[in-house]
Amino acid sequence: MSEAIDCIIREAIPGDAEQILELLNKTATQTGFMTQGTEGVGITVEEEAKQLAKIYDSLNNSVFVALVDDEIIGIASINGSDKPKIEHIGDIGIVIDKAYWGYGLGTLMMEELLLWADASPVLSRLQLQVQERNTRARYIYEKLGFKLEAIIERGVKDDGQLLNVCLMSKLI
């Protein structure tokens, strides 16, 4: 285990937009586990800030950031729809700068998302997709009560290789 670090986890605010985009662009190529690659996020800081403001007031969307020395090093989100028939479903995403792997931040950030989701009057199902080969992430999700629902064969392509993706969910 790595030595301890001081980390703050809090909900994202519009002022975090630039650092969030920088982290997403940085982590896109740190591993083959991300769906984004060298093409980057493709939105401006202003667009991200507007989106964060909208998310902050939502009952089925949330973004949390992990900060070390005022630098965002992790992002965890729940993305829900505004369509009434599926607004109860929250899609989870999480990314942590590889330099901070091994500190338990993935688990801590997921626990924050789950607490937030439990308090939501809208959400009753959380789901996520994770590459089958990403055993570290799958272990965290299983530990927190997510169940494997399906294997999506050839669900992602990395360096020309077609890879399976796990669809996992947790009812809340």
Side-chain angles (χ1 to χ4, degrees), residues 6-99:
D6 286 329
C7 180
I8 296 168
I9 298 174
R10 63 163 171 76
E11 280 193 78
I13 57 173
D16 295 327
E18 185 172 1
Q19 280 198 57
I20 286 173
L21 292 177
E22 286 172 3
L23 180 64
L24 290 173
N25 286 325
K26 177 181 181 181
T27 57
T29 56
Q30 285 182 338
T31 72
F33 297 145
M34 302 290 289
T35 53
Q36 176 183 298
T38 56
E39 72 278 2
V41 179
I43 64 171
T44 67
V45 171
E46 293 76 20
E47 290 168 331
E48 178 70 8
K50 284 181 188 173
Q51 186 66 20
L52 288 169
K54 183 179 172 187
I55 288 170
Y56 193 79
D57 294 327
S58 172
L59 295 177
N60 65 347
N61 292 274
S62 186
V63 176
F64 283 86
V65 292
L67 297 104
V68 172
D69 298 327
D70 295 322
E71 178 187 349
I72 295 176
I73 55 91
I75 305 163
S77 64
I78 296 175
N79 183 22
S81 177
D82 59 356
K83 296 177 181 167
K85 288 187 177 185
I86 57 171
E87 70 182 0
H88 65 286
I89 301 170
D91 288 301
I92 291 191
I94 186 166
V95 62
I96 297 171
D97 186 335
K98 195 172 183 178

Side-chain angles (χ1 to χ4, degrees), residues 104-131:
L105 292 175
T107 299
L108 288 173
M109 294 193 81
M110 285 296 295
E111 288 171 344
E112 287 295 323
L113 283 182
L114 292 174
L115 287 171
W116 188 91
D118 280 339
S120 167
V122 178
L123 295 171
S124 63
R125 173 188 169 89
L126 298 175
Q127 63 187 26
L128 57 87
Q129 293 185 16
V130 58
Q131 287 183 28

Side-chain angles (χ1 to χ4, degrees), residues 124-156:
S124 63
R125 173 188 169 89
L126 298 175
Q127 63 187 26
L128 57 87
Q129 293 185 16
V130 58
Q131 287 183 28
E132 190 175 43
R133 66 182 179 166
N134 191 348
T135 55
R136 290 168 59 122
R138 287 177 47 211
Y139 174 78
I140 292 170
Y141 303 142
E142 289 168 2
K143 178 175 73 171
L144 295 173
F146 283 79
K147 304 285 186 220
L148 177 66
E149 284 193 349
I151 301 289
I152 304 165
E153 294 182 2
R154 299 180 183 181
V156 70

